[in-house]
Amino acid sequence: MTQKCGYVALVGRPNVGKSTLMNHLLGMKLAITSRKPQTTRHNLLGVDTRGEAQAIYVDTPGIHDQLNRQINRMMVRSATSVLNDVDLIVMLLEHDKWTDEDALVLRHVQRSARPVVAAMNKIDLLGRREALLPAIERLAGLDLFQEFVPISALKGQGLDALREVVARFLPEQPHLFPPDQVTDQSTRFLVSEIVREKIMRRLGDELPHRTTVLIEAYDERPYITEIRAVVYVERSGQKRILIGKEGHMLKSIGQDARRDIEQLVGSKVMLHLWVKVRKGWTNDIQQLKRFGLGEP
Ligand SMILES: Nc1nc2c(ncn2[C@@H]2O[C@H](COP(=O)(O)OP(=O)(O)OP(=O)(O)O)[C@@H](O)[C@H]2O)c(=O)[nH]1
Ligand SMILES: [Mg+2]
């Protein structure tokens, strides 16, 4: 049988559930998620190989218009830059809601000449599915979307239907990745993201977008992997919050992260966390580059 393979962008406003969807499509936790908007910072590939079909999903940062900082501009650029390079765009919406940010995403998507499918996510929060119909009717009037697929990324509802729709748009060509490869990112990168996720989850209200994580040492020994990670913040007050009273906060973050990292690498992990201050790094192009954000 002929192989099919293609790139599929998952795009949408912040917090709509793109990363949750990618993880559930892959059946593993690859992308980090949180209840705070602007969690994802990089485009992240997730390869789903099923028989003859290989869908290469691209999880993207949420598209929004708060472009006051370099880091925000860089994140939005990262998301919009893939729109012309993929075979299919899956635009995520939150069930029947429509916001100004969705309209902004729509404008970017409309500029691309690629086919677009609407995934109406979080339907578990909706009493009746029929409640989606007026929204679908409105969106159908735009003459843009090829399909509307109601899903719950969190509960795994509608994902087979979405996979089927996606498979229809994959071009016939040999697979680009071996069947056991799930992403193009290094384990080190995924480890740094896990640490950042735990910070977002514990301190999302205090330090939502002020931290970044670099892995300084990664030592794989026969029975244990020893990792040193540095968390960068913008101000010394933020460092105090992150470390917490008698170091309790940083310790809890380390414990949360270690559990997930052990799952990822499949061995025991010793994780050392350090906190350093880099003044104004979120608005400094040079620092952002050093942290692997933005174009090299
Ligand atoms: N109830 C419900 N919550 C969901 C669903 N999908 C995602 N969420 C929640 O929505 C929040 C945001 O999910 P993410 O996957 O991080 O959203 P995102 O679109 O990747 O966000 P950014 O990376 O910030 O752009 C998390 O708290 C998820 O648990 C869903 O189907 N139902
Ligand atoms: Mg995300």
Side-chain angles (χ1 to χ4, degrees):
M1 252 173 76
T2 334
Q3 290 197 326
K4 295 179 98 185
C5 175
Y7 285 87
V8 182
L10 304 177
V11 299
R13 67 171 155 81
N15 212 40
V16 74
K18 301 174 292 297
S19 302
T20 306
L21 175 61
M22 180 148 102
N23 289 341
H24 280 250
L25 285 168
L26 299 179
M28 71 174 283
K29 186 176 153 109
L30 186 64
I32 66 167
T33 63
S34 90
R35 65 191 164 77
K36 284 275 156 194
Q38 299 175 36
T39 299
T40 303
R41 284 186 181 153
H42 309 256
N43 294 345
L44 176 64
L45 293 194
V47 186
D48 186 27
T49 310
R50 279 163 204 265
E52 301 308 312
Q54 181 169 79
I56 306 164
Y57 293 101
V58 191
D59 179 25
T60 61
I63 296 173
H64 59 84
D65 60 1
Q66 291 142 43
L67 303 179
N68 50 336
R69 282 169 185 277
Q70 286 293 351
I71 187 170
N72 291 1
R73 286 200 272 281
M74 178 232 98
M75 283 158 63
V76 171
R77 220 179 302 132
S78 170
T80 55
S81 69
V82 301
L83 293 175
N84 286 312
D85 299 335
V86 293
D87 299 288
L88 175 68
I89 297 170
V90 175
M91 178 171 166
L92 275 84
L93 297 166
E94 190 170 332
H95 46 78
D96 63 342
K97 263 198 213 162
W98 184 258
T99 68
D100 290 349
E101 277 178 335
D102 293 315
L104 176 67
V105 178
L106 181 75
R107 286 200 291 281
H108 281 286
V109 168
Q110 277 173 324
R111 270 184 232 137
S112 146
R114 306 296 164 175
V116 191
V117 165
M120 326 224 11
N121 191 29
K122 308 199 186 183
I123 52 162
D124 54 294
L125 300 177
L126 210 61
R128 297 160 46 252
R129 271 197 194 195
E130 296 78 64
L132 283 180
L133 291 175
I136 292 179
E137 225 163 86
R138 250 190 344 268
L139 291 169
L142 293 169
D143 218 10
L144 172 76
F145 298 104
Q146 310 265 342
E147 294 276 352
F148 297 91
V149 191
I151 61 165
S152 166
L154 193 66
K155 310 271 184 204
Q157 292 164 0
L159 300 196
D160 284 339
L162 182 61
R163 276 199 197 92
E164 255 171 53
V165 169
V166 166
R168 264 193 269 139
F169 288 91
L170 300 177
E172 283 188 7
Q173 61 170 333
H175 294 177
L176 293 166
F177 290 89
D180 55 349
Q181 186 171 349
V182 185
T183 188
D184 62 337
Q185 288 289 347
S186 66
T187 308
R188 282 170 83 116
F189 170 78
L190 298 175
V191 166
S192 70
E193 286 286 272
I194 289 172
V195 176
R196 196 163 66 77
E197 177 185 78
K198 303 313 173 196
I199 299 170
M200 294 274 298
R201 289 190 173 188
R202 285 199 181 252
L203 291 169
D205 294 325
E206 291 89 340
L207 308 172
H209 311 299
R210 298 298 185 236
T211 62
T212 199
V213 179
L214 278 192
I215 305 301
E216 295 228 319
Y218 191 98
D219 185 12
E220 253 175 297
R221 296 204 295 271
Y223 297 105
I224 199 159
T225 304
E226 191 170 351
I227 302 169
R228 283 167 61 90
V230 179
V231 184
Y232 289 92
V233 292
E234 283 189 317
R235 287 196 294 271
S236 50
Q238 296 167 346
K239 179 172 175 173
R240 269 197 301 281
I241 294 172
L242 193 52
I243 292 175
K245 207 163 166 244
E246 291 167 4
H248 284 316
M249 180 53 76
L250 195 63
K251 194 167 166 207
S252 304
I253 288 165
Q255 281 167 347
D256 295 351
R258 184 172 49 77
R259 272 193 288 274
D260 278 21
I261 298 166
E262 285 181 343
Q263 285 249 318
L264 177 76
V265 303
S267 81
K268 281 243 158 259
V269 164
M270 198 191 298
L271 176 66
H272 308 280
L273 292 182
W274 296 86
V275 184
K276 291 186 186 170
V277 179
R278 282 284 176 281
K279 286 216 161 55
W281 71 266
T282 59
N283 208 22
D284 177 337
I285 294 178
Q286 292 312 318
Q287 295 274 11
L288 287 166
K289 278 187 189 163
R290 211 189 129 229
F291 291 146
L293 292 154
E295 289 106 67

